[in-house]
Amino acid sequence: MLSKLLKYELKSTARIFLPLYVTLLIVATINGLFINSEIFNAQGLLMMIFGALLIALFVITVIVLIQRFSKNLLGDEGYLMFTLPVKSSSILISKYLVTILWTVLSGFVSVIAFLLIILISSCISGGINISEYMQILSEFMKTIFSSEYLSSATNIMLVIFISYSTFVFTVYLALSMGSYQHLISIETWHLLLAL
């Protein structure tokens, strides 16, 4: 049943993220074409649009995290979600896994967009060809995944993963407590806080 929950969650969030990813890659391609041009207005405007899309990508990821949890579990849809024959933990895990997946995909698409700008601009300027670019990229990957850097990279990725997971579950906790605040009177909250 977890796979069905994941499928439903991915389907409902993909209509937000996939157009944003396509737009980011198109703007990165156009940016790569115009980065060496003499038209400074177009170059600056395209860089501003690209930067705004990158910021929007990560802000929308957090907003969708909050919105999907809030509307789907704590809103009117929550009544239907909790009538499904699954544990509440499965519902929470499906939302968490989809959030992690879209965050990783957003980071991956951002890196691809930067590499696309570098590749297109360097191919147009004639400074580097695709085979040299791929050789430089493979050497960089070999350096990162060498034994001396692999443990540091693994530790950094683990810390980032744990920090982001803590952030996600903190948001879930805050939303859950905030939604049930209207069920408990103010006096009860004072008693709970006094304990």
Side-chain angles (χ1 to χ4, degrees), residues 154-189:
T154 305
N155 289 339
I156 290 171
M157 294 304 289
L158 188 62
V159 166
I160 290 171
F161 176 75
I162 291 171
S163 299
Y164 192 72
S165 297
T166 304
F167 168 72
V168 168
F169 285 121
T170 303
V171 168
Y172 287 172
L173 177 67
L175 288 171
S176 299
M177 290 187 70
S179 71
Y180 291 110
Q181 181 180 5
H182 67 277
L183 298 176
I184 302 174
S185 66
I186 294 175
E187 293 83 16
T188 309
W189 277 108

Side-chain angles (χ1 to χ4, degrees), residues 32-33 35-36 115-134:
L33 292 172
I35 203 161
N36 293 328
L115 292 176
L116 198 61
I117 290 173
I118 294 169
L119 176 67
I120 292 172
S121 65
S122 62
C123 285
I124 288 177
S125 67
I128 209 169
N129 62 20
I130 294 176
S131 62
E132 290 175 352
Y133 182 77
M134 294 307 278

Side-chain angles (χ1 to χ4, degrees), residues 48-61:
M48 280 185 7
I49 291 172
F50 182 71
L53 280 173
L54 280 177
I55 293 169
L57 180 65
F58 290 102
V59 169
I60 286 174
T61 304

Side-chain angles (χ1 to χ4, degrees), residues 23-24 27 31 44-55:
T23 306
L24 183 68
V27 169
N31 210 346
L45 181 65
L46 286 171
M47 285 305 282
M48 280 185 7
I49 291 172
F50 182 71
L53 280 173
L54 280 177
I55 293 169

